[in-house]
Amino acid sequence: MAEEQKYQYFDAKYLDPTKYPIVNPDPSVDDVIKSMRTSDYLFFAGTMAGTWTYGFLLGKPVRGPTAVMCASAGFTFAMFYTMQNVRGRLLGYRENAKEVKKWGLAPVQPRAYDFGDRRNPTRQPMISTPPLNWDNYD
């Protein structure tokens, strides 16, 4: 029988709130590449093809080297952009239903935190101590 996984929650007061559940709180490059979708590969290929074409059309005296140089710049841009998007999905900042279905949820999820009024915040003391419960003392 499969055991039901229990999730821990923590207060994320100083983190940006995520709209979606966290799949991997610390994704490596391998995790990001394994989690790429078909649309990511198509964006990657389209960017490289577009930049190669741009370099070929505008590199009149030496078309080949200019096209290859532009394709390498397109490769760099596409890799950074795609990895940023996939990492955002794994961290819960973007829609990640497919990743949750494929990899499951991370065991530690942030609890939703109510910020209150962001424009007019209330003053907090430097050191916040919980009130003493005098019923525990004899």
Side-chain angles (χ1 to χ4, degrees), residues 21-100:
I22 295 175
V23 176
N24 187 347
D26 188 22
S28 65
V29 174
D30 285 341
D31 296 334
V32 169
I33 291 174
K34 289 176 187 174
S35 299
M36 287 175 67
R37 296 180 180 176
T38 306
S39 61
D40 297 325
Y41 286 110
L42 290 174
F43 174 80
F44 191 79
T47 302
M48 282 195 56
T51 54
W52 187 90
T53 305
Y54 175 78
F56 186 81
L57 293 176
L58 296 181
K60 180 106 181 184
V62 281
R63 291 184 186 269
T66 306
V68 171
M69 197 289 302
C70 285
S72 66
F75 172 83
T76 304
F77 165 74
M79 196 64 176
F80 282 139
Y81 184 80
T82 304
M83 290 185 74
Q84 180 179 354
N85 282 341
V86 175
R87 185 174 168 90
R89 286 197 300 262
L90 292 176
L91 291 173
Y93 292 108
R94 296 181 179 270
E95 183 276 321
N96 61 359
K98 292 181 182 178
E99 285 78 11
V100 169

